[in-house]
Amino acid sequence: MIKYLNQKEKAFTKPLYQEAFFEDSDSFVNYYYEEKLKDNRILADIEGESIRSMMMLNPYKISVFNKLYNLDYIVAVATGKEFKRQGYMRRLLNKALCDMNAEHVPFTYLIPANKDYYLPFDFAFVADKNEYNANFSGLKKQVIKEEPDKELIFRILDFINNEVSRDNDVYTYRDENYFIRDLKEIASENGFINIYLDGDDIVAYESFWGIEKVELKERIVSSDIATREYGKENIMVRITDVAELLSNFRASKNIDIIVKINDNIIESQNAFFRIEMGKDFAKIGKIVNTEGSAFVEFAIADFTAWIFGYAGDVKYNIVNFADKSIAKDSLDSIKKIGGIFINELV
């Protein structure tokens, strides 16, 4: 039976989690099951107390053009050894994506262990890993291993939120609960936080963890002292409500164009969308009678990479336009997402 598990049933997933993610330490797994399961959702194929397959949907506040959404970060995707390659995970993913569409959630995201697994579900890369090459010499360092006072917590949060919102249209918004939970997470593997100060101003934040080997978990540095760099491709997104997502976009001039989205999983957005957009408005609606209409056709994965500003050379078809440059000009007028800052690992 496929269902979202209740709190009691969530505990039944622990043996499968430990089987699939055997490299995780016992202390981390204990933290995860004590903390993350308080507010996440787990979609699973369950029979009695036996879990055949599961995926966890961990909620995060994500800012999209300054509008906050509660979005699901897909993690802990696992199928029992005896049930692999029988379609269990495909059914879970298809249901989750369709449910998100029904809830008008604009998109979901993940960091893939193997990108090839998610490409058939129309996930697309939209961001590379955030990195900094920073020199902290001359700065005062403060080490945090236990929960600090609220004043320092809010100073750290103000620094991070202000910094990541500077050049990013999409980013994880962090509040007090986020910080306290993250501190518990790194503490589960003997971790700690460093903050660096220039006078009284926080100019850098980094966290480390690891029981046998200490590793950098995250680093955020003020653009005043370091340049943000990019590593390997990192974040994959799956658009789950095209209209809701596009409602946040604007165009450099008034446009009125029809876009056909090809989506073989979410049937309700395998459709034609009329996009009316300008500098201060966006009106997105489905249209049914398209006979003879001019439109631009995208596969949903290509549309994702394009609208998120990650790839400009994706495939699309311009249909029934006497002058294709008109369509291209309208598409170019839409202001794509510029900058994505999502660093969560689990």
Side-chain angles (χ1 to χ4, degrees):
M1 177 196 307
I2 293 177
K3 62 174 292 190
Y4 292 97
L5 304 184
N6 60 38
Q7 287 301 116
K8 179 181 178 181
E9 292 169 331
K10 286 181 179 182
F12 302 155
T13 66
K14 196 170 185 178
L16 177 55
Y17 185 102
Q18 291 173 311
E19 173 190 300
F21 309 106
F22 55 88
E23 69 278 9
D24 288 354
S25 66
D26 290 342
S27 58
F28 175 80
V29 174
N30 289 337
Y31 150 78
Y32 196 93
Y33 272 76
E34 289 172 5
E35 191 66 34
K36 291 285 191 178
L37 272 61
K38 290 178 181 177
D39 60 358
N40 76 350
R41 293 187 295 164
I42 303 179
L43 182 61
D45 192 304
I46 181 173
E47 188 64 38
E49 297 184 4
S50 176
I51 305 294
R52 297 187 180 99
S53 188
M54 69 172 182
M55 57 185 294
M56 298 192 184
L57 306 175
N58 290 355
Y60 286 90
K61 292 180 181 178
I62 302 295
S63 177
V64 181
F65 291 118
N66 296 317
K67 180 177 180 179
L68 281 180
Y69 287 97
N70 290 315
L71 301 186
D72 291 315
Y73 176 18
I74 298 177
V75 295
V77 176
T79 301
K81 292 179 180 178
E82 65 271 38
F83 302 112
K84 288 184 179 295
R85 297 179 179 84
Q86 298 178 40
Y88 285 95
M89 187 52 62
R90 175 178 54 79
R91 289 189 287 273
L92 292 185
L93 269 169
N94 285 352
K95 176 174 173 52
L97 296 175
C98 291
D99 288 349
M100 291 175 195
N101 175 263
E103 296 161 1
H104 300 295
V105 174
F107 65 88
T108 186
Y109 64 101
L110 53 81
I111 298 177
N114 179 0
K115 67 179 181 180
D116 292 334
Y117 187 84
Y118 297 99
L119 293 175
F121 295 93
D122 295 320
F123 282 81
F125 278 107
V126 299
D128 298 331
K129 186 174 177 59
N130 297 303
E131 297 178 351
Y132 294 90
N133 185 9
N135 182 358
F136 297 145
S137 61
L139 300 175
K140 179 183 176 182
K141 181 173 75 171
Q142 182 174 344
V143 182
I144 301 171
K145 293 186 177 181
E146 298 179 351
E147 184 178 328
D149 60 57
K150 287 187 181 295
E151 180 184 358
L152 182 54
I153 290 176
F154 286 114
R155 286 179 62 206
I156 293 171
L157 290 172
D158 284 345
F159 162 71
I160 293 175
N161 286 326
N162 288 335
E163 186 59 39
V164 301
S165 64
R166 277 190 182 187
D167 300 313
N168 301 288
D169 293 324
V170 174
Y171 61 90
T172 305
Y173 178 82
R174 309 186 191 206
D175 56 19
E176 183 181 5
N177 290 334
Y178 179 107
F179 179 87
I180 293 171
R181 175 175 280 186
D182 194 47
L183 189 58
K184 290 179 181 178
E185 185 172 302
I186 62 174
S188 73
E189 296 219 337
N190 300 334
F192 57 92
I193 290 170
N194 290 337
I195 58 171
Y196 295 87
L197 299 101
D198 183 3
D200 294 328
D201 298 328
I202 297 173
V203 294
Y205 166 97
E206 57 184 14
S207 60
F208 294 86
W209 64 347
I211 294 176
E212 297 182 0
K213 179 183 178 182
V214 177
E215 297 180 343
L216 176 69
K217 183 173 183 284
E218 181 178 32
R219 177 177 286 141
I220 301 171
V221 186
S222 169
S223 57
D224 294 333
I225 65 170
T227 301
R228 179 178 167 198
E229 300 175 353
Y230 301 94
K232 65 180 182 179
E233 53 189 14
N234 192 43
I235 302 293
M236 297 187 87
V237 155
R238 208 318 176 161
I239 295 177
T240 48
D241 190 328
V242 168
E244 179 61 34
L245 178 64
L246 288 179
S247 70
N248 297 285
F249 284 72
R250 298 294 181 262
S252 59
K253 65 178 183 179
N254 288 358
I255 64 170
D256 186 347
I257 190 170
I258 297 172
V259 171
K260 167 68 170 72
I261 297 295
N262 294 325
D263 191 329
N264 295 321
I265 295 175
I266 303 176
E267 183 59 33
S268 63
Q269 66 178 18
N270 187 52
F272 290 85
F273 295 87
R274 183 179 180 183
I275 302 172
E276 299 172 85
M277 191 178 291
K279 293 180 180 180
D280 56 5
F281 74 95
K283 181 180 178 182
I284 318 297
K286 285 186 190 178
I287 55 175
V288 178
N289 185 8
T290 59
E291 185 176 354
S293 298
F295 61 91
V296 181
E297 182 179 26
F298 285 89
I300 185 64
D302 288 328
F303 184 78
T304 302
W306 175 76
I307 202 69
F308 273 80
Y310 190 73
D313 58 349
V314 301
K315 295 179 180 179
Y316 58 85
N317 296 317
I318 298 175
V319 182
N320 292 338
F321 277 87
D323 184 350
K324 292 185 178 182
S325 66
I326 295 175
K328 291 180 179 179
D329 183 60
S330 292
L331 294 177
D332 290 341
S333 297
I334 299 174
K335 297 179 180 179
K336 318 305 183 295
I337 288 172
I340 298 170
F341 203 103
I342 296 175
N343 278 358
E344 288 68 38
L345 297 177
V346 292

